[in-house]
Amino acid sequence: MEQSISVLVTFLLVGTLVAIMVSIGWLLGPRTETPAKGEAFECGNPPSGSAWGRFPVKFYMTAIIFIIFDVEVVFLYPWAVLFDRLGWFGFVEMLIFLTVLGVGLLYVWQKGALEWD
Amino acid sequence: MLTVVVVSVIKALIVIGMVLNLAGILGWVERKGSALIQDRIGANRAAIFGFAGAGLVNTLLADPIKFLTKEDVIPRGVDRLLHTLAPCVALFPAIVAFAAVPFGDRLRIGDMVVNLQAVEIDVGVLFLLAMTSLGVYGVVLGGWASNNRLSLLGGIRGSAQMISYELAMGLAVVAVVLTYGSLDFQEIVRRQGHMIGGWIPAWGILYQPLAFLLLLIAGIAETKRAPFDLPEGESEIVSGYFTEYSGIKYLMFFMTDFVEIAVVSAVVTTFFFGGWQVPFLASEGFVFPWGWSVPLPHVVVVLLQVAAYMVKVFIFCCLQVLVRWTMPRLRYDQLMWFGWKVMLPLGLANLVVTALVLLWIQG
């Protein structure tokens, strides 16, 4: 209970602070509209259409590979906390798990999914 | 119940004040530090009644006032809701993450025992990782909502970089958790309290030197500062994901950077440099191995510990400013190569070696 209260209180206070910061700028700053000000900034060139289009697929692949290894790391936390009690059995179990994912990393590496040019 | 709420509010306010002031002072350290390294004078113009205070007036008073009273330009094509939301989403988790790190031991006031940790939970490490992971949303939302090619590039660069280095960070933290067998920050700090042979403080860096390096490097990459400042990359993509931001929203992204520096420093301090521990300071006062002892009242001991924590955090903040202004920027392929092919395998190896050593010690 005390734990949730401290989390909740911190969230509320920081949330209020952030909200105040955003609205204070809106209240204090001047507001004028000019055609040039509303344009997207592309180093002075007239903007060439919307930016909401395609972007390199490499970023997407990085995200997918990240998910796999991040879940791996998540599984490691409970194991690390209980390591004293699990002993050699837990170590070997986790070694098998890490080996499987290590092979996965090697595969991704060999396939060139981690190469950027 | 009411006391719990009041105490929580006070602690949260202390931590928020601490981190905001630290961010402000770091702005000054950064401007003066970069000037020192680049053989300039740095901020020295703004003054109150002729008092410029070596540029402190500039960064602590003139800059915030100027940011506050500037127009908040929202270009025509942007997604207005996400454009406003992005700086909030960036700043919020950074401050909350800092609040999870304990800044002192238990303080006894009469019958009441106050645990000097704003977010007082026993899985603080998980909470911290969850919050730092949320930081990526601010970057990617800011980049996407701006409807600007350069912003979008900065946003996706930033997200790919942050998630790549999060793996190494997570693995380094697992090794630390393995060493201390706890996810509670206070427990981890208390385990670093004793002295090895009576002389050397048993700080985490002695047990996990590689994890320290990995965590520091991954932390700097998470804050998106040089040598990992590709998401901002001012020589290529203007200002990256906050190109289309001005006024207070720009300041919020700017502050997020400094708060994240503070978070990285706080975590490194807590895991590897004893957090609030002061060498030779026990709960009753100083006890030196050569036989001296200086008894101190409880409040003084706690204040010394809080001061030690702040000094340690500040030292690591300065180290990061130094790193930023002395390192050239990496290329993107080098960045990804380093994250995936050096940091990640090293983190895994460190983990396995740590586990083996622990088993060997247990017999």
Side-chain angles (χ1 to χ4, degrees):
Chain A
M1 191 61 193
E2 283 188 25
Q3 297 192 358
S4 343
I5 289 177
S6 67
V7 175
L8 206 66
V9 162
T10 313
F11 274 24
L12 278 178
L13 284 175
V14 178
T16 324
L17 174 85
V18 170
I20 289 175
M21 280 186 81
V22 164
S23 36
I24 250 183
W26 184 77
L27 285 173
L28 291 182
R31 274 192 294 279
T32 51
E33 283 284 329
T34 63
K37 209 188 261 178
E39 274 178 6
F41 182 74
E42 295 192 357
C43 305
N45 293 327
S48 48
S50 168
W52 291 333
R54 298 189 285 182
F55 58 82
V57 72
K58 299 287 313 184
F59 292 103
Y60 183 69
M61 265 163 56
T62 309
I64 288 184
I65 302 170
F66 159 76
I67 300 272
I68 300 167
F69 289 98
D70 204 38
V71 172
E72 169 192 1
V73 175
V74 169
F75 278 133
L76 288 173
Y77 280 97
W79 168 75
V81 175
L82 294 176
F83 186 72
D84 286 351
R85 270 173 269 170
L86 295 175
W88 278 103
F89 172 73
F91 177 72
V92 173
E93 284 268 284
M94 200 38 86
L95 207 59
I96 293 169
F97 179 62
L98 286 181
T99 314
V100 172
L101 276 150
V103 171
L105 179 67
L106 282 179
Y107 175 76
V108 171
W109 193 325
Q110 280 301 309
K111 278 285 176 183
L114 303 177
E115 303 295 329
W116 291 70
D117 42 26
Chain B
M1 179 67 189
L2 187 67
T3 35
V4 172
V5 175
V6 171
V7 168
S8 298
V9 169
I10 293 172
K11 281 192 295 188
L13 286 178
I14 290 175
V15 169
I16 292 171
M18 207 192 263
V19 75
L20 291 186
N21 281 308
L22 189 59
I25 291 169
L26 274 180
W28 178 74
V29 169
E30 174 127 301
R31 291 178 76 171
K32 278 295 184 187
S34 64
L36 193 72
I37 288 168
Q38 295 169 350
D39 205 9
R40 297 183 282 116
I41 296 172
N44 68 340
R45 292 303 152 104
I48 300 174
F49 306 122
F51 171 74
L56 258 177
V57 174
N58 246 42
T59 19
L60 292 187
L61 278 174
D63 281 2
I65 292 173
K66 202 157 184 179
F67 272 120
L68 282 174
T69 53
K70 284 290 170 190
E71 181 178 356
D72 176 15
V73 181
I74 302 178
R76 271 193 304 277
V78 306
D79 186 324
R80 295 181 77 94
L81 176 67
L82 291 185
H83 189 264
T84 309
L85 206 60
C88 308
V89 173
L91 187 57
F92 179 85
I95 299 181
V96 174
F98 189 83
V101 182
F103 55 95
D105 201 354
R106 293 194 194 91
L107 173 67
R108 283 194 306 276
I109 311 169
D111 298 340
M112 202 167 53
V113 178
V114 181
N115 189 5
L116 293 183
Q117 185 184 17
V119 174
E120 206 183 321
I121 53 178
D122 47 14
V123 286
V125 176
L126 292 183
F127 181 84
L128 180 106
L129 284 168
M131 286 303 138
T132 46
S133 313
L134 284 181
V136 73
Y137 283 102
V139 175
V140 81
L141 280 182
W144 180 260
S146 295
N147 196 5
N148 176 324
R149 277 147 216 279
L150 306 169
S151 295
L152 181 66
L153 261 179
I156 53 176
R157 272 189 191 184
S159 53
Q161 168 183 332
M162 286 170 86
I163 58 178
S164 299
Y165 280 80
E166 210 175 290
L167 292 176
M169 191 171 76
L171 284 172
V173 173
V174 172
V176 175
V177 172
L178 198 56
T179 316
Y180 294 113
S182 174
L183 289 168
D184 185 0
F185 277 120
Q186 286 286 25
E187 180 65 31
I188 290 175
V189 175
R190 289 208 182 94
R191 294 281 294 273
Q192 301 177 52
H194 61 97
M195 295 280 157
I196 301 172
W199 287 90
I200 307 159
W203 288 352
I205 179 132
L206 297 176
Y207 302 111
Q208 288 289 342
L210 187 60
F212 163 65
L213 271 182
L214 290 174
L215 191 67
L216 187 65
I217 294 171
I220 294 176
E222 291 282 313
T223 59
K224 309 173 286 301
R225 288 157 57 87
F228 304 102
D229 62 344
L230 289 112
E232 289 166 38
E234 56 275 75
S235 54
E236 322 152 26
I237 50 174
V238 191
S239 200
Y241 57 95
F242 50 80
T243 302
E244 296 290 1
Y245 282 92
S246 55
I248 190 83
K249 289 186 197 160
Y250 177 84
L251 176 69
M252 285 168 79
F253 272 125
F254 202 70
M255 266 174 62
T256 309
D257 265 23
F258 287 121
V259 175
E260 278 174 346
I261 296 172
V263 172
V264 172
S265 310
V267 173
V268 167
T269 303
T270 307
F271 282 161
F272 303 108
F273 289 89
W276 42 257
Q277 299 279 5
V278 186
F280 310 121
L281 183 66
S283 54
E284 306 304 322
F286 280 106
V287 182
F288 293 107
W290 54 87
W292 295 0
S293 61
V294 186
L296 291 169
H298 175 65
V299 180
V300 177
V301 170
V302 171
L303 281 179
L304 269 176
Q305 286 170 339
V306 174
Y309 169 71
M310 278 151 86
V311 167
K312 287 176 193 173
V313 168
F314 189 68
I315 288 172
F316 277 99
C317 291
C318 292
L319 177 72
Q320 288 180 68
V321 170
L322 189 69
V323 166
R324 173 176 181 179
W325 291 100
T326 44
M327 295 281 208
R329 184 181 304 150
L330 293 172
R331 260 191 350 244
Y332 206 77
D333 61 327
Q334 292 172 331
L335 174 91
M336 284 298 172
W337 168 80
F338 193 65
W340 285 95
K341 299 186 182 173
V342 179
M343 303 271 287
L344 185 59
L346 270 182
L348 282 173
N350 185 40
L351 184 68
V352 173
V353 170
T354 307
L356 269 177
V357 171
L358 277 178
L359 282 174
W360 180 61
I361 290 172
Q362 285 169 6

